Amino acid sequence: MRDVKKLSRGVILGLALLGSFSPSPMASALGVKGSAVTTTAQKSKLNAQLLQAAEQGNLEQLQTLLKAGASASAADGSGRTALTWAAKGDHVAVARALIAAGADPDPQDDQRNNALLVTGETGSVAMLREVLKAKPDLTRTNRYGGTALIPAADRGHLPYVSEILKTTKIDVNHVNNLGWTALLEAVILGDGGRAHTGIVHELLAHGADRKIADREGVTPLQHARQRGYSEMVKLLEK
């Protein structure tokens, strides 16, 4: 009987403690019950909010969500990560916070984009520098089979091309699904102007093979001659 009374008092005390528990201000603000994130549903909600904050570039909210337990490597239904969303919006501070929290830079979404590959499209040198801190896989390729260097070359992102060639060991002679290298794309898809000519110069200076031809056997020099890109011709003839 004495043991039962002790047990009853213990149960009553436990119930009293549970009744006195209240969510922390941070958890309440995020709509989470309790001070610790413990359920899958709660984690999913935090991750969804984190993805939205990354897309919108809301650094303050993102940091709050990370502290509340959201994953720095959270991804949406398409497989797009918070870091990729940040890269697409060129939200550099957000990307920095995610990487500091351990975000994985390599996962690719259903369009085969990831943070590094996106920087090749946007040409953002600042974002490139942040993503490189996470030590991304430089061999990952986009939906066309190209590394980050190739879209940067065809879009005329000269500062980006200079930076990625200077700071990484990315394959300058990688051939994409179209059968084109970065050098071929700079000539074929470029306009022959200052930016694309500068890219040709940078690529050659970092070991681009001018002899690699397209699938029809046409070399970068021949393409440049056909298009009348005289400055490129001079570089490719050296």
Side-chain angles (χ1 to χ4, degrees), residues 13-213:
L13 179 59
L15 291 173
L17 288 172
L18 286 173
S20 67
F21 178 78
S22 59
S24 68
M26 180 184 294
S28 298
L30 295 171
V32 179
K33 296 180 180 179
S35 61
V37 179
T38 57
T39 71
T40 300
Q42 290 166 354
K43 186 78 170 182
S44 295
K45 184 174 182 178
L46 288 172
N47 287 347
Q49 292 172 331
L50 182 89
L51 287 161
Q52 184 177 47
E55 181 183 5
Q56 296 174 348
N58 190 330
L59 177 61
E60 183 177 355
Q61 183 184 18
L62 182 124
Q63 290 174 323
T64 298
L65 290 160
L66 287 171
K67 290 177 182 177
S71 171
S73 294
D76 61 21
S78 72
R80 181 167 295 171
T81 65
L83 186 56
T84 300
W85 275 118
K88 286 185 72 68
D90 200 26
H91 304 307
V92 177
V94 167
R96 186 180 301 120
L98 288 167
I99 291 168
D104 185 346
D106 293 330
Q108 294 173 260
D109 60 25
D110 58 10
Q111 295 181 15
R112 295 193 58 77
N113 283 321
N114 67 15
L116 178 63
L117 292 168
V118 165
T119 64
E121 296 178 0
T122 65
S124 172
V125 173
M127 183 61 73
L128 171 65
R129 288 171 177 163
E130 292 302 324
V131 174
L132 289 178
K133 292 176 183 177
K135 301 187 184 306
D137 181 355
L138 299 174
T139 68
R140 293 291 178 107
T141 57
N142 59 26
R143 60 190 179 279
Y144 302 111
T147 62
L149 176 63
I150 292 181
D154 82 56
R155 297 182 186 205
H157 297 318
L158 176 55
Y160 180 98
V161 170
S162 299
E163 183 71 15
I164 198 168
L165 289 173
K166 178 179 67 177
T167 59
T168 73
K169 294 181 179 180
I170 197 163
D171 183 4
V172 71
N173 290 312
H174 176 83
V175 179
N176 65 13
N177 296 341
L178 299 174
W180 294 346
T181 61
L183 184 57
L184 278 164
E185 292 226 356
V187 178
I188 296 170
L189 300 179
D191 59 8
R194 182 177 179 181
H196 285 100
T197 300
I199 288 171
V200 168
H201 177 272
E202 287 291 314
L203 291 168
L204 292 171
H206 286 85
D209 188 346
R210 68 193 74 204
K211 295 180 181 179
I212 297 177

